[in-house]
Amino acid sequence: MDRIPIIAGNWKMYKTTEEARAFIGSLASHVGPERRVLLGVPFTALEGAVQAARGSRIEIGAQNMHDMVEGAFTGEISARMLKTSGVSFVILGHSERRQLFGETNAFIHRKVVRALQKGLLPILCIGELLQERESGKHLDVLKLQLEDCLHGVNAEQVVIAYEPVWAIGTGKTATPEVAQEVHAFIRAWLGQKYGSSSARKISILYGGSVKPDNIGALMGQDDIDGVLVGGASLEVEAFVKIINYRVES
Ligand code: PGA
């Protein structure tokens, strides 16, 4: 398999610049070439995090951006601002952005296109709500998110993160089998759209209450290529355990 496992942290609205520097300083020596380690940090800590990560293998990214190049968008941040701050990736369409800030697939699509144009790796998040899963509509919801957010995009340049909304911050992880079923569905969709050789190259991450004790079983699934970790990415010790997971099958 040619996909290097990706362990991505999503710090959400946690950590000042100093806290970010200290975290990265402790983490750096634990990150080797076998796994790609990414940290999505708050805007204010980006430059400090980029500096602290210099010379290590840790990649620094943002958790959001606006789709426009520049303009009268009070409080917003552009792709170019991120790029010139030295970040390499951006998390887009996280369910908290969708739910709490009203982001639509159309808006997220424009952000994906802009991120690629400016040389940032988009991590596109998709995921269904609990009622969508309970009513058996989750695959339709996910398909629509993929279709709308990747329209006209070369998906080989994107990382996809499947995060069932009911599993985020709740302690309820999808079982490895439930996650695998959706990941296989996403891979099949990518295969139909882009061809199977492209689909095999695209990394699909799982997110939602990933912890040191469930990562091994998740990573044992064929179509889970990495994880997007919220809560457990805030403590160095837990995050290092996640990075150093051993596959359980
Ligand atoms: P969690 O968050 O690991 O705290 O559930 C995951 C995410 O929101 O990306």
Side-chain angles (χ1 to χ4, degrees), residues 133-191:
R133 175 161 282 268
E134 284 176 344
S135 59
K137 294 201 186 94
H138 55 291
L139 297 181
D140 293 336
V141 169
L142 295 166
K143 185 165 168 249
L144 190 68
Q145 290 176 344
L146 288 167
E147 275 169 1
D148 286 358
C149 296
L150 290 176
H151 179 70
V153 168
N154 175 4
E156 279 189 42
Q157 298 177 330
V158 176
V159 168
I160 295 171
Y162 167 58
E163 298 202 305
V165 178
W166 45 270
I168 295 178
T170 57
K172 281 190 213 157
T173 334
T175 62
E177 294 72 26
V178 164
Q180 166 59 25
E181 187 181 56
V182 172
H183 281 235
F185 170 81
I186 296 169
R187 184 101 50 213
W189 182 87
L190 291 167

Side-chain angles (χ1 to χ4, degrees), residues 6-29:
I6 296 177
I7 310 295
N10 172 16
W11 282 355
K12 310 193 180 189
M13 200 170 73
Y14 293 97
K15 294 199 191 293
T16 63
T17 299
E18 280 321 303
E19 289 162 351
R21 282 179 187 279
F23 183 101
I24 292 163
S26 308
L27 180 67
S29 63

Side-chain angles (χ1 to χ4, degrees), residues 33-243:
E34 313 80 26
R35 281 155 204 183
R36 254 180 103 177
V37 174
L38 281 63
L39 288 176
V41 315
F43 290 135
T44 46
L46 280 176
E47 290 207 344
V50 166
Q51 277 169 11
R54 213 160 269 154
S56 79
R57 294 182 168 272
I58 302 167
E59 300 171 51
I60 304 297
Q63 304 166 16
N64 182 31
M65 56 170 239
H66 197 267
D67 71 302
M68 297 299 277
V69 172
E70 60 185 4
F73 302 103
T74 301
E76 291 293 327
I77 300 281
S78 73
R80 182 163 162 261
M81 291 168 185
L82 295 181
K83 188 70 188 171
T84 55
S85 299
V87 318
S88 59
F89 75 93
V90 57
I91 298 169
L92 296 176
H94 189 279
S95 67
E96 285 150 18
R97 301 293 321 165
R98 292 174 186 263
Q99 286 192 289
L100 305 174
F101 302 96
E103 292 197 9
T104 61
N105 285 334
F107 188 30
I108 296 159
H109 171 247
R110 294 198 301 274
K111 297 185 194 213
V112 171
V113 171
R114 184 70 70 199
L116 287 171
Q117 189 195 53
K118 296 295 177 189
L120 295 166
L121 168 72
I123 299 185
L124 169 66
C125 301
I126 60 170
E128 81 281 3
L129 303 171
L130 182 60
Q131 64 265 32
E132 291 165 340
R133 175 161 282 268
E134 284 176 344
S135 59
K137 294 201 186 94
H138 55 291
L139 297 181
D140 293 336
V141 169
L142 295 166
K143 185 165 168 249
L144 190 68
Q145 290 176 344
L146 288 167
E147 275 169 1
D148 286 358
C149 296
L150 290 176
H151 179 70
V153 168
N154 175 4
E156 279 189 42
Q157 298 177 330
V158 176
V159 168
I160 295 171
Y162 167 58
E163 298 202 305
V165 178
W166 45 270
I168 295 178
T170 57
K172 281 190 213 157
T173 334
T175 62
E177 294 72 26
V178 164
Q180 166 59 25
E181 187 181 56
V182 172
H183 281 235
F185 170 81
I186 296 169
R187 184 101 50 213
W189 182 87
L190 291 167
Q192 272 173 13
K193 195 93 181 163
Y194 300 95
S196 55
S197 105
S198 288
R200 273 197 299 275
K201 291 184 197 140
I202 299 169
S203 291
I204 308 173
L205 314 184
Y206 169 79
S209 299
V210 174
K211 307 285 176 216
D213 62 1
N214 59 27
I215 171 92
L218 288 163
M219 292 305 294
Q221 302 295 320
D222 284 351
D223 290 293
I224 300 185
D225 308 316
V227 286
L228 183 55
V229 188
S233 73
L234 293 170
E235 300 291 337
V236 175
E237 204 187 318
F239 197 53
V240 167
K241 283 188 187 151
I242 290 177
I243 292 169

